[in-house]
Amino acid sequence: LYRELAACCPVPSHVLGKSVTDFSCQIFFLILRLSSANRDSEVEREEVEKMFSLLASNQDISVEELYVRHAPSLVEQLNGLHKEWTRHSPDQSLFGELLLRSG
């Protein structure tokens, strides 16, 4: 499943080109979710890095700027849900991945 989902991420960037900005936040969330679900595989982590780089380059920004633009939206989306998280909650894993990657 990971490979199929991962294969979808570059498609909007390739097809939409510079208009990918309209979907950047959703693609960012998807890539981050994939990354949070697959922390153990070095190969898959490299693929995630490539997806982030492609998303950023199609907008003429850095990967760091992706985080600046989209992290606040993700935190807002997750706000208040933390009370329901368990050790195995996907949203807890997503939030942890955001913290790890955003520095």
Side-chain angles (χ1 to χ4, degrees), residues 55 61 85:
L55 181 60
I61 61 174
W85 292 349

Side-chain angles (χ1 to χ4, degrees), residues 12-98:
S13 299
H14 174 72
V15 173
L16 298 172
K18 299 300 180 194
S19 67
V20 74
T21 303
D22 297 338
F23 304 98
S24 181
C25 193
Q26 292 87 351
I27 297 169
F28 176 84
F29 286 7
L30 176 60
I31 297 169
L32 199 61
R33 175 81 64 191
L34 289 170
S35 179
S36 71
N38 294 286
R39 288 186 178 166
D40 298 331
S41 171
E42 186 62 34
V43 172
E44 291 171 351
R45 294 198 69 64
E46 289 174 14
E47 291 299 315
V48 165
E49 295 302 324
K50 288 178 189 176
M51 287 186 272
F52 276 125
S53 294
L54 181 60
L55 181 60
S57 68
N58 278 322
Q59 298 175 76
D60 294 323
I61 61 174
S62 67
V63 173
E64 292 79 16
E65 182 63 26
L66 280 176
Y67 283 89
V68 169
R69 289 183 182 185
H70 302 312
S73 296
L74 180 57
V75 170
E76 184 177 320
Q77 208 173 33
L78 296 174
N79 186 27
L81 299 176
H82 67 281
K83 296 174 186 174
E84 301 169 11
W85 292 349
T86 66
R87 250 182 67 204
H88 304 290
S89 297
D91 287 342
Q92 187 271 345
S93 182
L94 177 65
F95 184 69
E97 189 72 8
L98 177 65

